[in-house]
Amino acid sequence: MASASTKDSKIAVNYWDPLRDTDSEVLSATASTRIRRDLMTIFKDPPPGLFVVGDESDIRYVHAIIVGVMDTPYEGGFFYFILKCPSDYPIVPPKVKFMTTDAGRVRFNPNLYKNGKVCLSILGTWTGPAWSPAQQISTVLLSIQSLMNEKPYFNEPGYEKERWPGDVERYNEILRHETLRVAVCGMLENECHLIIPEQLKEIMETTFLQFYDLYMETSKNKIDLDGKSYTDPFGAGAVVTFEYAKILERLETIRGNLAKKHAIPVDLPLTDGEGSDEKDDNDE
Amino acid sequence: MKLTIKNWTGVATWKWVANDDNCGICRMAFDGCCPDCKLPGDDCPLVWGQCSHCFHMHCIVKWLQSQPVNQQCPMCRQEWKFNNK
Ligand SMILES: [Zn+2]
Ligand SMILES: [Zn+2]
Ligand SMILES: [Zn+2]
């Protein structure tokens, strides 16, 4: 199944995987201070679309959601990552696993494998500039965010040009659909039973309500694709069949449930008055 | 000669001549020590590279020991050489 990632034959197959990591060494004082500082940096001045929480029971773990950037095929999607900092962090980079894979079925990017491996040179999982201890958790997440760009097709080495005319747009169509199906509906329904920290769940819920009209509009605009199938150029033969009608139904259901939970009148538009308050509300 | 300064308008307060206020590795302030030490001062000296970047000695040594070949400054990735001036 997981045919990728066997290139690194001399290293253990899952050396990158924070959830299979057996390192139980005590963190150095530098490592635990650094992890806290790294998190504070993000809390104080959160980069757009990036949310992190420390693990309550084990400071070595950090949970992160990257919200797909506007005008990319990932827009409005919730991409969940788990990081683990090693005992000698920041001398050694964290290990990162991508969790939004529809239980190992979707490869969301040439650099984000469906087994959760994140191919990034600073993590030691890709060629290019290696880790430096001057980098930090936000650097890692921002680098991942930049992989999730407007035309991720070109991330793959050897794909600097389209192999077939229209490849870039077809790949984006696949990603847009899978973003709504897996990274929006799937994440809000938590159909894969991921253990996501409460704070991140709340962020997903409020962000979902803000983006709801956008999700609906995209799905309606793309509904003519329903029934068609595209082959994922990097999916080892995986075929995606478009089902926007189903996505529309799921979006409505999720919104209905959230509206009940957050006591929002269902018939009011949710995106009105966005950013109306001039004052800083940082009291959270 | 003895001077008494009566009035002084500082444009900048004196600090270690470093590129930043914090060690780029542990991110602690240079007027304190690295997190593995207890007391600032001579026990936890600062060192400079020829590239002019500055770190706690304990921090840069840990980094250099982890890099058997190709020892680079964490900040600018130039080859690391201690500035012994
Ligand atoms: Zn330091
Ligand atoms: Zn020290
Ligand atoms: Zn330097």
Side-chain angles (χ1 to χ4, degrees), chain A:
Chain A
M1 284 244 308
S3 58
S5 84
T6 40
K7 268 180 276 174
D8 334 82
S9 49
K10 54 182 184 224
I11 321 166
V13 181
N14 293 305
Y15 68 96
W16 54 269
D17 189 341
L19 302 183
R20 293 197 192 200
D21 180 52
T22 50
D23 173 19
S24 56
E25 267 183 74
V26 181
L27 285 181
S28 68
T30 298
S32 52
T33 317
R34 246 308 281 267
I35 296 167
R36 285 197 195 92
R37 291 226 148 197
D38 282 13
L39 292 176
M40 281 313 296
T41 304
I42 300 177
F43 296 151
K44 269 192 200 153
D45 189 13
L50 219 155
F51 302 93
V52 295
V53 294
D55 192 284
E56 280 178 3
S57 55
D58 190 336
I59 186 193
R60 293 175 299 175
Y61 289 94
V62 173
H63 304 258
I65 293 269
I66 295 177
V67 179
V69 175
M70 288 299 115
D71 301 318
T72 70
Y74 305 101
E75 81 179 0
F78 302 104
F79 299 91
Y80 176 37
F81 295 84
I82 295 179
L83 289 75
K84 185 185 186 192
C85 296
S87 49
D88 45 357
Y89 183 73
I91 301 301
V92 176
K95 296 183 176 193
V96 184
K97 186 165 194 166
F98 178 43
M99 305 301 290
T100 306
T101 59
D102 196 19
R105 285 186 286 257
V106 175
R107 180 176 177 180
F108 259 110
N109 187 287
N111 296 60
L112 299 174
Y113 291 175
K114 58 187 180 180
N115 64 356
K117 185 177 181 183
V118 176
C119 297
L120 198 61
S121 68
I122 57 171
L123 299 179
T125 50
W126 199 246
T127 52
W131 173 258
S132 140
Q135 288 166 322
Q136 49 176 303
I137 291 170
S138 63
T139 325
V140 170
L141 293 171
L142 290 169
S143 304
I144 296 173
Q145 196 182 46
S146 74
L147 294 172
M148 303 172 72
N149 51 41
E150 294 98 327
K151 290 173 181 174
Y153 181 90
F154 295 125
N155 289 11
E156 181 75 357
Y159 287 70
E160 289 78 14
K161 272 197 272 174
E162 287 187 324
R163 292 272 162 111
W164 304 96
D167 263 0
V168 168
E169 194 40 43
R170 271 192 297 276
Y171 187 45
N172 279 359
E173 291 293 7
I174 291 175
L175 296 174
R176 196 172 290 124
H177 181 267
E178 298 300 79
T179 292
L180 285 164
R181 186 177 71 84
V182 175
V184 178
C185 296
M187 289 297 282
L188 267 292
E189 294 163 353
N190 199 9
E191 58 177 359
C192 296
H193 309 289
L194 300 172
I195 303 162
I196 307 169
E198 272 317 305
Q199 297 105 302
L200 292 182
K201 279 189 190 164
E202 276 168 33
I203 284 162
M204 291 199 293
E205 291 178 0
T206 46
T207 312
F208 175 92
L209 292 171
Q210 282 167 11
F211 286 169
Y212 177 74
D213 291 346
L214 176 82
Y215 300 144
M216 292 296 283
E217 198 189 312
T218 308
S219 306
K220 284 175 189 160
N221 286 342
K222 296 291 178 185
I223 201 148
D224 289 347
L225 287 168
D226 270 19
K228 279 191 191 156
S229 297
Y230 287 173
T231 305
D232 181 343
F234 312 111
V239 173
V240 172
T241 303
F242 293 92
E243 295 180 323
Y244 277 108
K246 260 194 196 165
I247 290 174
L248 281 166
E249 267 176 44
R250 290 170 78 185
L251 289 168
E252 282 173 358
T253 309
I254 294 166
R255 193 207 171 189
N257 292 339
L258 288 180
K260 260 183 250 160
K261 183 174 165 186
H262 295 263
I264 295 165
V266 185
D267 48 346
L268 277 182
L270 291 155
T271 43
D272 268 3
E274 199 186 331
S276 56
D277 210 344
E278 300 251 315
K279 278 179 281 172
D280 282 342
D281 327 275
N282 312 331
D283 10 56
E284 253 178 283

Side-chain angles (χ1 to χ4, degrees), chain B residues 23 26 34 56 59:
Chain B
C23 169
C26 69
C34 82
H56 293 115
C59 294

Side-chain angles (χ1 to χ4, degrees), chain B residues 33-37 43-45 56 58-59:
Chain B
C33 56
C34 82
D36 289 335
C37 290
D43 292 327
C44 190
H56 293 115
H58 296 144
C59 294

